Amino acid sequence: MLIRYGYQIDITCPQPTPLVCMLLAETARLPDLVGPEDFSTNPPGVPVSTYTDIYGNRCMRMTAPYGDFSIRGDATITDSGLTDPVYPYAREVPVADLPDECLLYLMGSRYCETDRLSQIAWDLFGNLAPGWGRVQAISDYVNGHIRFDYQQASATRTAYEVWQGRVGVCRDFAHLFVAFCRCLNIPTRYVNGHLGDIGVPVAGPMDFSAWTEVWLEGGWYTFDPRNNARRIGRIVIARGRDAADVPMINSFGPHMLKSFEVWTYPVDA
């Protein structure tokens, strides 16, 4: 199937402001693109360069001029049309046997305070058999523990605060899940990207989404505690320890968000 995805973000800056933006599809999906990603700015002609960060994410550098500034991206990508795979017999890997690159994703991070949640995690999930089933049980718990409320979005809420307050948005579901898994010595990373309402009822205006990936025997596997369902058409933008590593726009100076629009939907060939 083909999926069209994109965004338009409008900000205003009181002075020329350097930006680092993570808005491009991950490198692994470049062969699936139907033509290049169409990226533009308004005012036009702003120089843009790209680099790859320490997590392998594609980043864009630019300097927003004084006043109103818009960035827009649009692309079409080929997708299998299959739901996220399930591997019910995948086993947890002992820490001593983990690949070196996984160890980073066992550590506490800005939004995932493993020190504050460790005992809670072991009390809730420590008696469950290790493996896919335990990870799914964590996703089930997080999905049922948190009430989704877009009006309650907060850029500073941590996993422990999510557990206490029981309300949040997709990033909060992901942070609590990530923290619980790490407490149980399961490497887990935070993911953001596009996830359209494909194969499910349309839930309203589109937005960027957050989910997770867990290292079990054989590699990284997708878990989505917000939706707690296997979904079609995920388009990864960035991965990191938590949301602090993968902001869509990181500005080195003040800016005000005026509006944003996100679209992700299937299209005919």
Side-chain angles (χ1 to χ4, degrees):
M1 67 185 304
L2 296 178
I3 300 173
R4 184 176 178 181
Y5 68 93
Y7 56 87
Q8 178 159 328
I9 303 173
D10 303 315
I11 63 175
T12 187
C13 301
Q15 61 195 37
T17 305
L19 306 177
V20 172
C21 300
M22 295 187 189
L23 294 163
L24 301 171
E26 64 169 325
T27 301
R29 296 301 301 273
L30 294 182
D32 299 329
L33 289 173
V34 181
E37 291 177 288
D38 181 16
F39 178 81
S40 60
T41 66
N42 188 27
V46 171
V48 178
S49 62
T50 61
Y51 72 95
T52 302
D53 71 6
I54 60 173
Y55 301 104
N57 302 315
R58 301 170 63 212
C59 306
M60 295 183 290
R61 294 183 66 178
M62 66 195 80
T63 297
Y66 162 78
D68 292 341
F69 182 62
S70 298
I71 52 179
R72 187 181 192 278
D74 188 62
T76 301
I77 197 167
T78 302
D79 190 84
S80 68
L82 302 176
T83 56
D84 304 317
V86 177
Y87 296 92
Y89 302 108
R91 297 179 295 181
E92 294 177 25
V93 179
V95 173
D97 298 329
L98 287 170
D100 294 342
E101 59 269 22
C102 289
L103 298 179
L104 175 67
Y105 298 105
L106 290 176
M107 311 299 180
S109 56
R110 164 69 178 86
Y111 292 107
C112 301
E113 318 101 309
T114 52
D115 55 341
R116 304 187 73 181
L117 287 163
S118 181
Q119 189 60 56
I120 297 167
W122 282 100
D123 289 345
L124 288 170
F125 312 110
N127 292 326
L128 299 180
W132 184 280
R134 178 157 71 167
V135 176
Q136 183 59 56
I138 298 171
S139 182
D140 294 342
Y141 174 88
V142 171
N143 179 265
H145 185 77
I146 303 173
R147 175 176 59 86
F148 184 89
D149 187 346
Y150 192 76
Q151 301 304 316
Q152 297 290 326
S154 169
T156 60
R157 185 185 293 122
T158 68
Y160 183 75
E161 292 167 342
V162 173
W163 182 76
Q164 286 186 311
R166 305 187 64 164
V167 67
V169 294
C170 58
R171 63 177 266 158
D172 300 309
F173 286 77
H175 282 152
L176 184 57
F177 176 88
V178 167
F180 277 153
C181 288
R182 289 180 187 169
C183 288
L184 299 171
N185 300 323
I186 306 169
T188 311
R189 59 192 185 188
Y190 179 96
V191 185
N192 65 23
H194 293 269
L195 179 61
D197 294 321
I198 300 172
V200 298
V202 176
M206 294 275 27
D207 197 353
F208 293 112
S209 297
W211 60 90
T212 72
E213 291 175 347
V214 171
W215 181 273
L216 297 173
E217 182 182 46
W220 293 103
Y221 300 93
T222 296
F223 282 85
D224 182 350
R226 159 67 180 100
N227 296 293
N228 204 31
R230 317 315 287 177
R231 294 285 294 271
I232 298 170
R234 296 184 194 274
I235 304 168
V236 173
I237 292 175
R239 299 178 175 92
R241 294 168 299 175
D242 59 29
D245 289 333
V246 293
M248 297 293 182
I249 297 180
N250 194 4
S251 68
F252 298 88
H255 78 273
M256 182 178 69
L257 178 66
K258 296 181 63 180
S259 65
F260 75 94
E261 180 185 5
V262 178
W263 53 90
T264 312
Y265 56 86
V267 295
D268 293 332

